[in-house]
Amino acid sequence: MVKRKSSSLAQATDPSPGLMHMPSFDHLLPAPAKRRASQRKQTRPLPKAASTNPDINSEVLDGPEALRASPDAEEKDEKLDVDKIEGGTATHIQDEEDTVPSLVTGGESDSSLSDVSDVEPPSNKKPQTAKSTKTLKTLSKTAKALESPSAGQEKNAATKEPQFLDPEADGEEEADEEEIQAALSRPPPVNSDYLPLPWKGRLGYACLCTYLRYSNPPVFSSRTCRIASILENRHPLRNPDEPPHATKNRPDRDQPADISRGQAFVESLGIANAKDIVKMLRWNDRYGIKFLRLSSEMFPFASHEEYGYKLAPFASEALAEAGKVAGELGHRLTTHPGQFTQLGSPRKSVIDNALRDLEYHAELLSLLKLPPQQDRDAVMILHLGGVFGDKEATLERFRENYKRLSPEIKKRLVLENDDVSWSVHDLLPLCEELNIPMVLDFHHNNIIFDSEHIREGTKDIMDLYPRILATWKRKNITPKMHYSEPTPAAITGRQRRKHNPRVATLPPCPPDMDLMIEAKDKEQAVFELMRTFKLPGFDTFNDMLPHVRKDDNKPVKFPKKKTLKKKRAKEEGDDTLEAAEAALDAEDEEFTQAVIPEEEVGMGGPEGRVYWPPGMEDWLRPVKKVVKKKEPADRGKPLTTAQKRKAAAEAAQSAVKLEANVNGDGEIDGAAVAMPTPAKRSKATPKSSAKKAAAPKKNARSVQTPSTSDDEASVDAPPSEAESVLVGKKSRAAPTRQSARAKKISYVEEDGE
């Protein structure tokens, strides 16, 4: 299997001249041999690049945005159930606390420049109670750590209203009684019965292909890391001649740090992400998907204030190759900056961060070098953000900051209605004023809408289609819409923000619309719609075999070879031995797996087995073997064959001991107990064992000397049942040697004495 290439790390450079140096004692040491030093320098290999596979390198993480249904979702339930897929093993996916922006841990949200303390609360959200989620607690702790003295006053003012985190962060929190009553009293939605069939548009998903993510090797474009990993990789490895290792060969912090090393590490992740876009595009094209949202975390921390960097020139070639493939296949590529990228905030730091983030996304899309129409369709979707207590003031700040944007950003920026503050009726006049296209999100519109103009559902919003589509036609951009559905158990508005893993129907959009399906199951949600409505491409894929993949180059375990015994080989001759070796070689050929070309790895095979049913995401991984401990068998349970054989052997052994205690005339020793013996006849006892059996034991009871009365009683009395069984068996058994001591002695006086 050919491994993907990754950018090599830069060589170590001299430490910064600003560092303090200790006094030199080189004049006290002998000078090294110049010849040996030059040879060592020439033969020393270049440092090897670290692996970008998160299953191998623990410093490589999955971007949290790519695992969500949309950039707004940060709830645990919104992520792909990786723990279930991995079978309970440790994974490298970030927890909620890892997604918090921190310069210490390097965790991040959708945007690498997220600042929790910079985000203001909405006006319609109720205060948090003591039952807040773990995400909120972690974010609040980090906000305190990032607070400046001037931010302390703003914090006190913000305590009057809850802090806006993300639209779906409170999905696990129990709803208040008032919220439930309000939700139950709302009118039912009024939906349209129109279906856009026959379908002529493009269906898409966001950021991550679940099937490719868990192929071997994994293919995805959201590898990220922590800032702590960047700082650590600035130090050289302990052994530069060996590849990096999680424990055996880590960076040596005692050696001087070099910024170029850490930069090379983070750039290698971005290059690997960009190269995997090509594979994802070809995979989508095979199964009829021609619309993909690129992950904002493709280049980790590229827009960070301190650790940010430009994508050109190191990523220009990889992105141009991805854009070339997208152009040839006719695919649409877009991006969606995170919820913390806001242009209406009253804080200057938030605006500066947003401008850097938008510049990063614009550079990413421009380096794709797409054809003209596809380049215009490569838009950046943005939410307006918080209300900050005054909608009109927030809209005015947005207008002022929009003027500061570069022409490259303005031609790509589009606005989307959200499910917290801004409805379609709030944004549509602004988009028409500033010539900004507007994305209609059906799911958000069912939660936040202007009840004075429309009702909940998909029917009334159709009256605004002409105005919405006109915002796209002014810039000659292909319109796009978003569709998702809430979970079935959702009741309140906050609960309905959470996206369902898959959708059940199509919205009443134009049949030629580019429709982004925002669901946790990603491409599987698109497959579900294809199967339900027989959309183009529904016949290109089939169900997966549970836990089995035939499109990966996995190592095959060969069976152990069976060799003939030497004695048998000599008897049968050399011809038989050669024939046996030929048969074993044929078995090896049967177990040899054909090498799959790299371009076909992870593509589903000739049968296209890439679909997993709802809730069966654990099919993506092999079954984890669980070794069960043997429990002692209960007495009430039936005995197994082995246990029966063991019991029969013990019974036979007891019978042999009992027979050894029987005297020569068939009398039973008083200490012996009659036991049934197995039906199988035993072999004759050897002489040596007979002697040992006849020898009296120390603990055995001595044989009483019989008297005349005893003899008469023994003759007249009939034998007992146990005696008859043992005597009968004794008579049928092989004769054994009797000792002379066992001979009967008579004490009757003879006549004549």
Side-chain angles (χ1 to χ4, degrees), residues 502-503 523-533 611 614:
R502 304 192 185 187
V503 295
E523 82 287 351
Q524 302 297 322
V526 178
F527 288 160
E528 202 72 36
L529 284 176
M530 288 181 175
R531 280 193 170 183
T532 302
F533 297 100
Y611 171 85

Side-chain angles (χ1 to χ4, degrees), residues 430-448:
L430 179 67
C431 293
E432 293 173 337
E433 174 188 350
L434 300 179
N435 195 18
I436 301 176
M438 179 185 166
V439 177
L440 171 62
D441 190 302
F442 289 92
H443 175 58
H444 295 170
N445 181 70
N446 285 336
I447 300 174
I448 299 296

Side-chain angles (χ1 to χ4, degrees), residues 80-81 84-85 500-502 520-521 524-525 528 547 611-620:
L80 188 68
D81 198 349
K84 185 176 181 181
I85 296 172
N500 206 33
R502 304 192 185 187
K520 187 191 75 171
D521 289 351
Q524 302 297 322
E528 202 72 36
H547 313 287
Y611 171 85
W612 47 273
M616 296 292 106
E617 58 263 35
D618 58 323
W619 285 13
L620 295 169

Side-chain angles (χ1 to χ4, degrees), residues 468-489:
I468 295 174
L469 297 178
T471 60
W472 296 87
K473 294 179 181 179
R474 292 173 185 173
K475 289 189 172 182
N476 195 19
I477 302 176
T478 305
K480 68 186 294 286
M481 293 182 179
H482 295 173
Y483 184 71
S484 56
E485 295 175 356
T487 57

Side-chain angles (χ1 to χ4, degrees), residues 335-384:
T335 60
H336 195 330
Q339 56 177 330
F340 298 104
T341 304
Q342 302 185 26
L343 293 177
S345 173
R347 300 192 59 183
K348 182 179 181 300
S349 59
V350 177
I351 301 302
D352 294 340
N353 292 341
L355 294 177
R356 287 197 310 273
D357 198 32
L358 293 176
E359 289 288 351
Y360 153 67
H361 284 85
E363 183 185 12
L364 189 156
L365 294 174
S366 63
L367 290 178
L368 293 172
K369 305 297 182 183
L370 294 167
Q373 184 58 47
Q374 290 176 272
D375 185 59
R376 285 192 295 270
D377 294 343
V379 296
M380 303 184 299
I381 301 95
L382 190 67
H383 290 291
L384 196 58

Side-chain angles (χ1 to χ4, degrees), residues 598-610:
E598 184 179 2
E599 59 272 10
E600 293 297 326
V601 172
M603 299 299 289
E607 298 176 343
R609 294 186 174 273
V610 296

Side-chain angles (χ1 to χ4, degrees), residues 32-67:
K34 295 183 179 180
R35 182 177 180 181
R36 294 184 62 185
S38 61
Q39 289 179 351
R40 184 164 57 251
K41 184 176 181 181
Q42 293 174 0
T43 59
R44 184 175 182 177
L46 294 175
K48 299 182 179 180
S51 174
T52 58
N53 188 344
D55 299 333
I56 300 176
N57 190 351
S58 60
E59 294 182 346
V60 181
L61 307 173
D62 284 89
E65 175 192 351
L67 298 175

Side-chain angles (χ1 to χ4, degrees), residues 34-296:
K34 295 183 179 180
R35 182 177 180 181
R36 294 184 62 185
S38 61
Q39 289 179 351
R40 184 164 57 251
K41 184 176 181 181
Q42 293 174 0
T43 59
R44 184 175 182 177
L46 294 175
K48 299 182 179 180
S51 174
T52 58
N53 188 344
D55 299 333
I56 300 176
N57 190 351
S58 60
E59 294 182 346
V60 181
L61 307 173
D62 284 89
E65 175 192 351
L67 298 175
R68 305 181 192 131
S70 70
D72 305 323
E74 197 174 345
E75 189 62 27
K76 184 177 181 180
D77 293 341
E78 282 290 344
K79 300 180 182 180
L80 188 68
D81 198 349
V82 182
D83 292 336
K84 185 176 181 181
I85 296 172
E86 297 288 349
T89 57
T91 59
H92 308 304
I93 295 181
Q94 291 171 305
D95 296 328
E96 287 84 349
E97 51 228 13
D98 294 334
T99 62
V100 180
S102 173
L103 300 183
V104 180
T105 61
E108 55 185 347
S109 64
D110 306 67
S111 175
S112 57
L113 43 89
S114 306
D115 188 355
V116 180
S117 61
D118 293 340
V119 185
E120 295 293 337
S123 57
N124 59 345
K125 191 174 180 181
K126 296 188 176 182
Q128 296 289 345
T129 61
K131 297 181 179 180
S132 300
T133 58
K134 186 173 74 172
T135 304
L136 180 57
K137 294 179 180 179
T138 310
L139 290 172
S140 60
K141 292 180 181 178
T142 309
K144 293 179 181 179
L146 297 176
E147 270 186 328
S148 60
S150 59
Q153 299 176 356
E154 296 184 12
K155 176 195 172 186
N156 297 332
T159 55
K160 298 179 181 179
E161 294 184 359
Q163 194 175 28
F164 177 77
L165 299 178
D166 63 73
E168 301 184 6
D170 300 326
E172 291 182 355
E173 186 176 358
E174 297 181 1
D176 298 335
E177 185 177 355
E178 297 180 1
E179 289 180 321
I180 296 177
Q181 293 297 330
L184 295 177
S185 62
R186 79 175 191 271
V190 181
N191 295 315
S192 172
D193 58 355
Y194 170 76
L195 286 175
L197 298 176
W199 180 256
K200 301 177 182 179
R202 291 179 288 193
L203 294 177
Y205 63 93
C207 305
L208 178 78
C209 176
T210 64
Y211 187 86
L212 287 177
R213 171 59 185 85
Y214 297 101
S215 63
N216 186 25
V219 178
F220 64 114
S221 61
S222 55
R223 298 171 182 84
T224 186
C225 64
R226 296 182 175 91
I227 290 181
S229 299
I230 301 177
L231 299 178
E232 185 178 14
N233 279 274
R234 291 180 176 181
H235 300 273
L237 296 175
R238 296 175 182 174
N239 188 357
D241 299 339
E242 299 294 333
H245 192 272
T247 57
K248 299 179 181 179
N249 194 20
R250 294 190 61 84
D252 189 359
R253 297 184 180 182
D254 295 334
Q255 299 188 31
D258 187 359
I259 296 178
S260 62
R261 293 194 193 97
Q263 185 63 25
F265 167 74
V266 72
E267 288 179 359
S268 66
L269 299 181
I271 292 295
N273 290 334
K275 289 183 176 180
D276 278 357
I277 297 177
V278 176
K279 185 84 169 185
M280 296 173 66
L281 292 174
R282 297 194 182 279
W283 193 94
N284 290 345
D285 190 72
R286 174 173 292 191
Y287 299 108
I289 302 176
K290 295 182 176 294
F291 188 12
L292 177 66
R293 177 187 297 167
L294 300 179
S295 173
S296 297

